[in-house]
Structures are given as C-alpha cells and as structure tokens.
Amino acid sequence: MEVIVTNELEPLSTDLTKITTEIKTYQSIGGQAIFEIGRRLNWVKQNNLTHGEFGKWLSSIKLDQRSAEMFMKIDSQLSNSNTYSNLGYQALYLIATLPSEERDKPQKLDSGEIKRPDEMTVRELREVKKKLKQREQELADRDETIANQQAELEDNRKAQLEQKVITKTVTKEVPVKPNDYEEIKAKIAELKEQSAKDKENIEYYKRELKAAERINKNANSYDKLQEQELKRKKRQAEINGYNASLKINDWIPELQKLSQEDVDEMGEQAQKNLQKRLELLQRSIDRLSSMLGGRRIIEGEYQS
C-alpha cells in the first residue's frame, strides 16, 4: 500500500480505531512517518481519546512510553519538512531537544568539520548537545556569580543604612552557595556530620523530657508543676527543631541528584508534580525563615 505524505495537515479523526490503524501504517514506512505518528499521539493525548488509559493503549499498538514521548516531542518541536526526511527518530529527537536557535545553525565538531544538525550523525548530535549544555552551564554560573556580587553589594548598602538607626546588630554569617559538584559534596558531608551530633542532642533532650514528666507527676507545688511543664515544652520544641533539621539533611542529597537532563527527560506530569512540591516547600521555607530571621540586639537589651 502506497502512502503519500504531504505538508498539508488534514483534520484528524476522533475515532481511536482509525487513529490506531493510521499509526500502524506509518510505523511500517518510517521516514517522515515519524512526524505523522507523533502528531497522532499528541492528538490522542490532548483529546483524551483513550479515556485516561494512554499507556495501556500504547501497549496495545506495541509502542513503548519512551518512544511515544520521543515521537511527540519531535512533532511538537520540529516542522514536518523535507529537511528531515532522511533522518531516524533518534537523530530527530536530539535535534528537537536542542535550543530552538541552534537547530539550523552550523556547528563545529571535535573533528574540525562544520555541519548543520540535519547533516550530523547521532554521535555528532550528542557531541554538539553536550557542548551546548556545558556552554549554557558556564553562562549560568557567570550569571549566578554576578547576581551574588550584586546581592552582596545590596546587603552592604542596607547594612550601612541600618547602622544609622541601630546601635548594635547581630552579625549573621551568610552561607556560601556551592559553585560546583565537589563543593556540594563537601557540604553534604558536613551536614551528615552535623546530623550525627543532632541525633545525640535529640536523645539527650528525650531523656530530659522524660525526667521532667516524672517530676510533673510527683510535684505537689503548683508553681513547681508549672515550672516543669514549661521546661517540658521547651525540650519538646528542641526535639521538633532537630527532627526537622535531620529531615532537611535527608532531602538535600536527593535534590542534588537531579540534573538539567533529568528534568528535560522526565514526563510533563512528573515535571508538574515536582514543581508543585517545590512551590509548597518554598512557602514553608519562607515562613520558617521569617520566624527565624530579623532578631536584633539593641543597646541595653538582649534577645537570644
């Protein structure tokens, strides 16, 4: 059976059986069919023609989730043109995941050759993608350095203004954000060491708390009872604080594992889920930072 592929996009059917037949046909001819398969996969998902069972439907047409996502990415990022008619889906996917401004730009390879992405092999495309990512990281590091310097200048300016109205202030040490992987690993090791000390403190405070509870049960004096209850509450607050610190220490290595490539490769739903949790986490961080920060020592008065 001969199938003619044109650049004109005709409306797709909402009949899942017809869509399935079309995809199987395009699977058998390859080439530009990659775009047509991706187009139909996006159509099925966007219109929920599988009624929430997209993965199950993919299995029924012998198409794995990874390949389906690659076809969909190719369709959404590249135009169905003769420029890409001779490329396989791996090369097309690598081009589709390049920055849009780099997809048609000639690139210099390690071999010294200069080629456009559509002229490259899969290996050469991976080489170019790696170089572009390194360059992007270098630019991001430079921007971060500039931002940190600007923030430091702004902090110094604010500190000078505050000295005019505040006689004495508490000096707070601002932690330096790691700039590379090795510094991050060193910081995590330091946090783990602190975690061990935190655990010892928690056990100590638990013993103190139990002792305070026993005194409460045997106390005859109302004043003494009140005093011990306040002590118990303070100990419990200490335990809660250290427990929160330990859990944060556990999260840090997990967050550091995620790279830009991980984020690029994960599905849309996974990205949305992660973004939602990060927003909730940021709100919690802002709330706690607000409660922990802003304490001052003013002449003649001390606040711990």
Side-chain angles (χ1 to χ4, degrees):
M1 179 176 65
E2 181 180 2
V3 178
I4 300 175
V5 180
T6 68
N7 287 335
E8 279 189 27
L9 299 180
E10 298 178 357
L12 297 177
S13 171
T14 56
D15 183 351
L16 185 60
T17 302
K18 187 172 185 301
I19 292 285
T20 301
T21 302
E22 290 173 342
I23 288 177
K24 287 183 177 179
T25 300
Y26 283 118
Q27 282 176 317
S28 68
I29 65 174
Q32 282 195 329
I34 292 171
F35 289 93
E36 295 297 336
I37 293 173
R39 182 183 170 217
R40 280 158 175 77
L41 291 172
N42 280 320
W43 175 263
V44 169
K45 192 165 187 180
Q46 290 165 5
N47 293 278
N48 194 25
L49 301 184
T50 58
H51 306 292
E53 295 188 343
F54 186 69
K56 186 176 180 180
W57 173 67
L58 288 177
S59 298
S60 73
I61 61 174
K62 296 182 172 28
L63 191 60
D64 62 89
Q65 183 79 32
R66 170 66 176 165
S67 297
E69 289 177 355
M70 291 174 74
F71 290 148
M72 292 163 73
K73 185 78 170 180
I74 291 167
D75 170 65
S76 64
Q77 296 297 320
L78 301 179
S79 60
N80 186 355
S81 68
N82 292 330
T83 304
Y84 305 114
S85 59
N86 297 321
L87 299 180
Y89 75 93
Q90 288 187 341
L92 286 172
Y93 178 74
L94 288 169
I95 294 174
T97 52
L98 287 173
S100 57
E101 67 274 11
E102 302 289 346
R103 291 171 190 162
D104 298 317
K105 187 185 297 184
Q107 305 284 344
K108 186 173 182 180
L109 303 172
D110 288 342
S111 63
E113 291 184 272
I114 298 177
K115 293 183 179 181
R116 293 197 317 271
D118 61 284
E119 299 172 330
M120 298 179 189
T121 64
V122 169
R123 182 187 62 77
E124 289 169 340
L125 283 166
R126 285 174 177 158
E127 174 191 322
V128 167
K129 189 172 182 180
K130 183 178 179 181
K131 285 183 178 178
L132 291 174
K133 188 169 289 187
Q134 288 174 342
R135 186 177 70 185
E136 181 183 356
Q137 185 60 51
E138 288 171 0
L139 291 173
D141 289 343
R142 186 195 65 182
D143 291 342
E144 182 180 5
T145 300
I146 293 173
N148 287 339
Q149 290 172 346
Q150 290 176 339
E152 186 176 354
L153 288 173
E154 181 63 17
D155 287 343
N156 291 337
R157 186 186 68 82
K158 288 181 179 179
Q160 289 173 356
L161 291 174
E162 289 177 356
Q163 286 176 357
K164 295 179 181 179
V165 293
I166 301 174
T167 305
K168 189 177 181 182
T169 60
V170 175
T171 302
K172 291 187 177 180
E173 216 173 309
V174 180
V176 178
K177 186 177 180 180
N179 290 324
D180 57 36
Y181 182 70
E182 291 303 322
E183 290 182 11
I184 292 172
K185 286 204 303 184
K187 186 63 178 175
I188 291 174
E190 179 184 338
L191 289 171
K192 286 183 177 180
E193 183 179 348
Q194 183 60 45
S195 292
K197 295 178 181 178
D198 288 347
K199 288 179 181 178
E200 294 177 3
N201 286 335
I202 287 174
E203 293 303 316
Y204 169 77
Y205 287 131
K206 282 182 178 179
R207 290 194 297 272
E208 288 289 302
L209 180 58
K210 288 181 180 180
E213 288 174 342
R214 286 197 297 272
I215 293 172
N216 281 345
K217 292 178 182 178
N218 299 324
N220 295 319
S221 167
Y222 177 78
D223 291 340
K224 186 67 175 178
L225 185 63
Q226 290 292 94
E227 178 186 342
Q228 293 302 320
E229 178 61 20
L230 289 174
K231 183 178 180 182
R232 186 189 68 79
K233 288 181 178 180
K234 177 177 173 60
R235 294 303 187 197
Q236 185 61 55
E238 293 277 2
I239 292 170
N240 293 341
Y242 278 118
N243 274 327
S245 296
L246 287 176
K247 289 178 180 178
I248 291 171
N249 289 344
D250 291 337
W251 296 337
I252 291 174
E254 294 302 317
L255 294 176
Q256 297 293 352
K257 286 178 184 177
L258 290 176
S259 65
Q260 182 63 55
E261 185 173 1
D262 291 328
V263 174
D264 291 340
E265 298 295 336
M266 68 176 61
E268 181 181 352
Q269 188 58 44
Q271 289 181 345
K272 288 181 179 179
N273 183 64
L274 181 59
Q275 180 65 33
K276 182 178 179 181
R277 268 59 184 182
L278 288 175
E279 288 172 358
L280 291 172
L281 177 60
Q282 187 60 57
R283 286 202 291 271
S284 297
I285 290 172
D286 291 343
R287 182 178 66 86
L288 287 173
S289 295
S290 177
M291 289 189 288
L292 290 169
R295 298 185 175 184
R296 298 173 177 176
I297 298 175
I298 299 177
E299 188 172 8
E301 183 179 354
Y302 173 78
Q303 288 182 292
S304 61

